[in-house]
Amino acid sequence: MTTTPGPAPEPQDGFDAVVLAGGRATRLGGVPKPTVVLDGATLLDRALAATRDAARTVVVGPDAAVPAGRDVLVAREDPPFGGPVAGLDAGLRALDRAHDRARSPHAAPTWVLVLAVDVPRATEAVPLLRAAVAPAAEPAAEPAVDGAFLVRAGHAQWLVGAYRRDALRRALDALSGAEGLTGLPVRRLVAGLACREVPDVDGVSADVDTWDDVRRLTVGLHDVSAVTADTHRWGGHR
């Protein structure tokens, strides 16, 4: 199903976040994607900025260079380079262990934000996702969704999504028991979930796969900044 979310209400119980940063980056000549600098900030910096409101964030990948001062967990799929589904499983397990160690009277957040590290405009994507899974987004006649993800130019961006923790855990466990998670396509995981598709009309889920993407998206970020400044200068009227 497809919906166009309005302003983002605050979820009642917050969210955790998994940043997937474990790919081989072969089209970037093997340069680790988290370290790629785009307009003065690394892709990992940008992903962590998008998760700043999360209760806990885990970065799944090799030797993640987590910025100083960030209370961020680090995990790794086993075996390494096992793909995003295996990485998501490792990240969710790390989050669950952290909540168990905390012995908090509060349950772990219902929602888990999932972000690929190579989405430089992730901070703009998160409000769309949070609005799509907020209680106000659920019509009374429809069952609760298991998650939401952006759809850009007809392509599902499953790794720019928010998913219900218990539904994600069940789906991962079912696939793991049946055939293992290494190398499994994300579509197999999401196929078992009832998800809301959120139109990405502004291309905020565009990702970095090549150096041409880095150059193109850097220009795009400057264009967005220019529009924002111009709108502010004229009081929101063009």
Side-chain angles (χ1 to χ4, degrees):
M1 52 185 157
T2 303
T3 185
T4 302
E10 289 294 320
Q12 292 178 346
D13 60 350
F15 64 98
D16 279 337
V18 177
V19 175
L20 296 170
R24 293 183 184 276
T26 54
R27 297 174 68 187
L28 290 172
V31 175
K33 282 189 180 182
T35 68
V36 170
V37 176
L38 194 152
D39 199 27
T42 68
L43 290 176
L44 180 58
D45 287 334
R46 292 180 177 278
L48 292 179
T51 71
R52 61 183 176 271
D53 293 330
R56 283 183 170 83
T57 296
V58 59
V59 176
V60 183
D63 300 324
V66 176
R70 285 299 301 263
D71 183 16
V72 175
L73 302 167
V74 178
R76 192 72 167 111
E77 71 273 23
D78 184 19
F81 303 112
V85 176
L88 182 51
D89 181 67
L92 190 58
R93 290 182 186 280
L95 290 170
D96 289 344
R97 287 194 298 269
H99 283 290
D100 288 344
R101 287 195 300 268
R103 300 183 183 277
S104 169
H106 306 290
T110 299
W111 295 98
V112 178
L113 173 69
V114 177
L115 291 177
V117 76
D118 60 358
V119 180
R121 295 177 64 187
T123 53
E124 298 170 73
V126 171
L128 300 177
L129 295 168
R130 297 185 71 184
V133 300
E138 298 288 349
E142 291 188 8
V145 296
D146 294 326
F149 53 82
L150 297 195
V151 177
R152 178 171 60 91
H155 297 287
Q157 304 292 88
W158 297 301
L159 300 184
V160 186
Y163 301 94
R164 197 177 294 274
R165 189 187 214 96
D166 56 356
L168 195 58
R169 182 72 271 159
R170 286 195 300 270
L172 286 165
D173 288 347
L175 289 173
S176 178
E179 54 193 294
L181 301 178
T182 299
L184 204 67
V186 182
R187 71 170 65 89
R188 291 286 303 279
L189 176 68
V190 178
L193 303 175
C195 290
R196 177 170 286 125
E197 298 180 359
V198 182
D200 179 10
V201 295
D202 294 323
V204 299
S205 63
D207 55 2
V208 171
D209 283 325
T210 67
W211 292 114
D212 283 342
D213 291 337
V214 173
R215 288 185 282 271
R216 174 175 52 82
L217 290 171
T218 297
V219 172
L221 286 171
H222 282 289
D223 289 344
V224 169
S225 298
V227 169
T228 302
D230 187 54
T231 302
H232 178 73
R233 185 180 305 115
W234 295 101
H237 300 286
R238 299 296 303 272

